[in-house]
């Protein structure tokens, strides 16, 4: 059983990173949803790092603008977009994906790259993979394109 557990460890690590990123970067324009996502992310990553990211963005007015602008954030990331060196703990990772910022008038697509480390921790109901993301940083977050959306009534 222990051998089977270790065979799937790489897949679990990739899923853990994907879940963590989705909690941080797939948000709705709802203050309660945003706060709830960050609380959940703090169970998958170092609480101080998650709180630092949240506070930095909050101080810049990012969440207020997101809620008042009715901006929906979607993140596209697959297992192949997550690369983890499982040879030595802590396990270094690099994850890349695309994020869409969906507004009533535009859709902006960004490239998003995050780097950090995973450590093994005890499995819990809130952290079923038994990893914690540490020392993460956003290595890239740049706009790739912005398209103008046509209002439904004008499209016909």
């Amino acid at each position: 059983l222990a051998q089977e557990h270790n065979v799937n460890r790489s897949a679990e690590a990739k899923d853990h990173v994907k879940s963590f990123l989705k909690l941080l970067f797939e948000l709705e324009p709802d203050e309660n949803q945003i706060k709830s996502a960050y609380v959940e992310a703090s169970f998958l990553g170092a609480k101080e790092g998650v709180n630092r990211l949240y506070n930095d963005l909050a101080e810049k007015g990012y969440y207020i603008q997101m809620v008042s602008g009715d901006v929906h954030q979607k993140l596209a990331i697959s297992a192949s977009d997550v690369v983890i060196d499982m040879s030595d703990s802590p396990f270094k990772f690099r994850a890349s994906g695309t994020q869409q910022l969906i507004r009533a008038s535009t859709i902006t697509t960004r490239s998003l790259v995050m780097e950090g480390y995973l450590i093994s921790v005890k499995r819990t109901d809130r952290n079923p993979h038994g990893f914690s993301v540490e020392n993460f940083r956003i290595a890239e977050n740049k706009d790739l394109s912005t398209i103008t959306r046509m209002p439904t009534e004008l499209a016909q």
Side-chain angles (χ1 to χ4, degrees):
L1 219 88
Q3 187 177 16
E4 287 179 19
H5 167 76
N6 289 332
V7 169
N8 291 327
R9 203 67 176 139
S10 177
E12 286 186 292
K14 286 182 177 190
D15 191 61
H16 185 88
V17 170
K18 282 176 37 185
S19 298
F20 182 73
L21 292 176
K22 283 197 173 263
L23 286 167
L24 296 180
F25 298 106
E26 192 166 275
L27 302 171
E28 295 299 325
D30 176 322
E31 289 179 45
N32 291 329
Q33 186 274 332
I34 294 167
K35 288 178 183 174
S36 176
Y38 273 84
V39 167
E40 288 301 312
S42 71
F43 288 102
L44 303 183
K47 191 172 285 202
E48 69 275 359
V50 172
N51 287 340
R52 183 184 64 244
L53 178 62
Y54 176 84
N55 290 333
D56 286 350
L57 292 173
E59 285 176 15
K60 293 175 183 173
Y62 183 79
Y63 302 117
I64 291 171
Q65 291 173 9
M66 187 180 155
V67 171
S68 66
D70 197 29
V71 180
H72 303 266
Q73 292 183 177
K74 304 295 177 200
L75 181 65
I77 187 168
S78 67
S80 63
D81 296 327
V82 181
V83 177
I84 303 175
D85 179 2
M86 297 294 290
S87 63
D88 195 26
S89 179
F91 310 115
K92 184 175 173 76
F93 75 85
R94 182 175 175 92
S96 57
T98 56
Q99 180 186 41
Q100 285 190 321
L101 299 154
I102 303 166
R103 298 176 181 87
S105 59
T106 62
I107 298 175
T108 300
T109 302
R110 291 183 174 165
S111 70
L112 179 65
V113 178
M114 182 179 267
E115 299 173 332
Y117 294 88
L118 287 176
I119 61 167
S120 292
V121 297
K122 189 173 180 121
R123 293 173 190 259
T124 66
D125 288 343
R126 290 195 134 163
N127 186 343
H129 294 125
F131 285 108
S132 182
V133 176
E134 291 192 332
N135 298 320
F136 65 89
R137 72 180 190 89
I138 300 168
E140 179 179 285
N141 188 4
K142 67 178 181 180
D143 289 357
L144 298 175
S145 66
T146 299
I147 60 170
T148 302
R149 299 176 70 188
M150 291 186 78
T152 308
E153 59 274 3
L154 295 178
Q156 296 176 353

